[in-house]
Amino acid sequence: MSGITEIKHRINGIRDTKKITNAMYLIASNKVRKAKNALDRTRPYFSALQHEIDRMFDIAGHIDSRYFSNEDEEEKPRGGKRGYLIITADKGLAGAYNQNVLKKVEELTQKESGRLFVVGEYGRQFFAHRGMEYDPSFRYTAQNPRLHIAREICELLLELYDREELKSIDVVYTDFRGGRGEEVRVDRILPLHRSHFETGNDLSSHSFEYEPSVEEVLDHVVHSYVAGFVYSAFVDSFCSEQNARMAAMSAANDNAEEILGRLSLEYNRSRQAAITQEITEVTSGAKAMKKGMRR
């Protein structure tokens, strides 16, 4: 780059960009901390729900529920399509976070198509551009996950499941794994399996009575359990998105520092060359004046 002014303008532009990426890094780290704290406050409640479901099966034995399928028996055929709850982000600048989820969805739909319920504007735009059908009325945001939003989504999906418009529901999300590296997961939330709730403790000796019936109580508890699972998936995905954004912004800051180092060196060289040229021109002019005076 030849012009000193042009180099200086580019240095100032990169410094301004670095301020933005650094601010985005700090905002993302703060969001991760708040989301993890919110999940930790609700986790004991849903762990207790899982424990109570295990107690119901231990006390009542076999329970006939449309929300459960027995792995040891042949499942009863259900009508409807397979449902996919897909959690993406509302925006980019998060590395490969969105692409990894969408790639997994494409793999699933190639094996068996189904109804797509997409959370996050990025995912909706992706499927719209690809010409893939998704539920247009399902327009939930991925920002700031809240438990009441998870309950709304749960009730909507359960209603479709009860009407046998959906034969099963899978959630596709990114597991945060405590910051040890994100992983795209596909988990079945309906129908549930009895083995998912086995704790290994014999609870059949505890005397409990369920009114009006254990089946109705179980159906009510399942609604809360599924809502808790969806909320957990929301928070995991949100933390993964922010963590990926932190990594992307950190890499952008490192690249900015590297570019600034090269430009500063180029700027100093160009400035030194300009100064040397000015000195040479002044010296040449002085010599010419002296030579003219001698003549």
Side-chain angles (χ1 to χ4, degrees):
M1 191 177 295
S2 57
I4 296 178
T5 304
E6 187 178 354
I7 297 175
K8 192 172 183 179
H9 286 166
R10 189 176 178 191
I11 289 175
N12 292 334
I14 292 175
R15 284 175 177 169
D16 292 339
T17 302
K18 189 171 180 292
K19 291 178 182 178
I20 297 173
T21 56
N22 188 55
M24 292 180 67
Y25 177 90
L26 296 176
I27 292 172
S29 62
N30 187 50
K31 287 182 177 180
V32 168
R33 179 179 56 82
K34 289 183 177 180
K36 288 174 63 179
N37 291 339
L39 180 62
D40 290 339
R41 288 194 299 268
T42 59
R43 197 182 297 276
Y45 170 72
F46 295 106
S47 297
L49 284 180
Q50 184 175 0
H51 182 76
E52 289 305 316
I53 293 175
D54 184 35
R55 187 199 305 275
M56 291 180 193
F57 276 100
D58 281 347
I59 294 176
H62 177 75
I63 301 176
D64 187 15
S65 173
R66 62 186 179 278
Y67 297 130
F68 284 84
S69 62
N70 195 327
E71 294 174 329
D72 299 329
E73 300 175 1
E74 185 178 354
E75 295 185 13
K76 297 179 180 179
R78 286 180 53 89
K81 297 181 178 180
R82 190 178 299 278
Y84 298 102
L85 175 60
I86 304 158
I87 303 176
T88 64
D90 288 321
K91 53 188 177 182
L93 297 178
Y97 167 77
N98 289 299
Q99 286 74 17
N100 291 337
V101 175
L102 298 172
K103 181 180 178 181
K104 176 62 70 173
V105 174
E106 288 184 315
E107 294 176 358
L108 292 172
T109 53
Q110 286 176 358
K111 296 178 181 178
E112 183 175 358
S113 61
R115 293 182 61 176
L116 306 182
F117 302 90
V118 187
V119 176
E121 188 61 29
Y122 193 100
R124 288 190 287 269
Q125 292 295 329
F126 174 85
F127 292 119
H129 292 159
R130 294 293 182 93
M132 299 176 64
E133 293 185 2
Y134 64 94
D135 193 321
S137 62
F138 194 87
R139 303 191 64 84
Y140 288 95
T141 178
Q143 293 299 310
N144 301 322
R146 294 288 184 270
L147 183 56
H148 72 276
I149 299 297
R151 291 189 186 277
E152 288 182 14
I153 294 174
C154 170
E155 293 303 321
L156 173 63
L157 296 178
L158 283 172
E159 182 180 353
L160 296 174
Y161 183 83
D162 291 339
R163 297 204 304 255
E164 294 197 5
E165 293 185 26
L166 299 177
K167 64 179 181 180
S168 64
I169 303 173
D170 295 327
V171 56
V172 186
Y173 69 104
T174 307
D175 188 6
F176 185 56
R177 300 200 303 175
R180 300 188 302 273
E182 296 79 14
E183 176 188 8
V184 178
R185 291 179 57 91
V186 181
D187 287 336
R188 174 69 53 85
I189 56 177
L190 285 176
L192 299 167
H193 289 299
R194 167 72 176 90
S195 60
H196 295 168
F197 300 89
E198 292 178 349
T199 61
N201 300 322
D202 185 12
L203 305 174
S204 59
S205 59
H206 296 74
S207 58
F208 280 81
E209 293 184 3
Y210 297 96
E211 296 291 342
S213 67
V214 66
E215 286 81 10
E216 292 189 34
V217 174
L218 180 61
D219 288 351
H220 180 75
V221 172
V222 164
H223 281 238
S224 296
Y225 175 80
V226 173
F229 191 96
V230 171
Y231 175 65
S232 176
F234 270 138
V235 175
D236 271 329
S237 295
F238 183 73
C239 290
S240 298
E241 175 195 349
Q242 302 305 323
N243 194 59
R245 184 164 289 114
M246 288 169 58
M249 295 303 103
S250 178
N253 287 336
D254 293 341
N255 290 337
E257 287 290 345
E258 183 180 349
I259 295 173
L260 284 174
R262 293 201 306 265
L263 289 177
S264 296
L265 180 61
E266 188 175 352
Y267 175 79
N268 291 332
R269 286 176 176 174
S270 299
R271 185 169 175 271
Q272 189 64 42
I275 294 173
T276 302
Q277 184 177 357
E278 290 178 2
I279 293 174
T280 302
E281 290 175 354
V282 170
T283 303
S284 299
K287 288 181 179 181
M289 290 178 63
K290 286 182 180 181
K291 190 174 182 180
M293 291 175 63
R294 289 175 183 174
R295 290 178 180 178

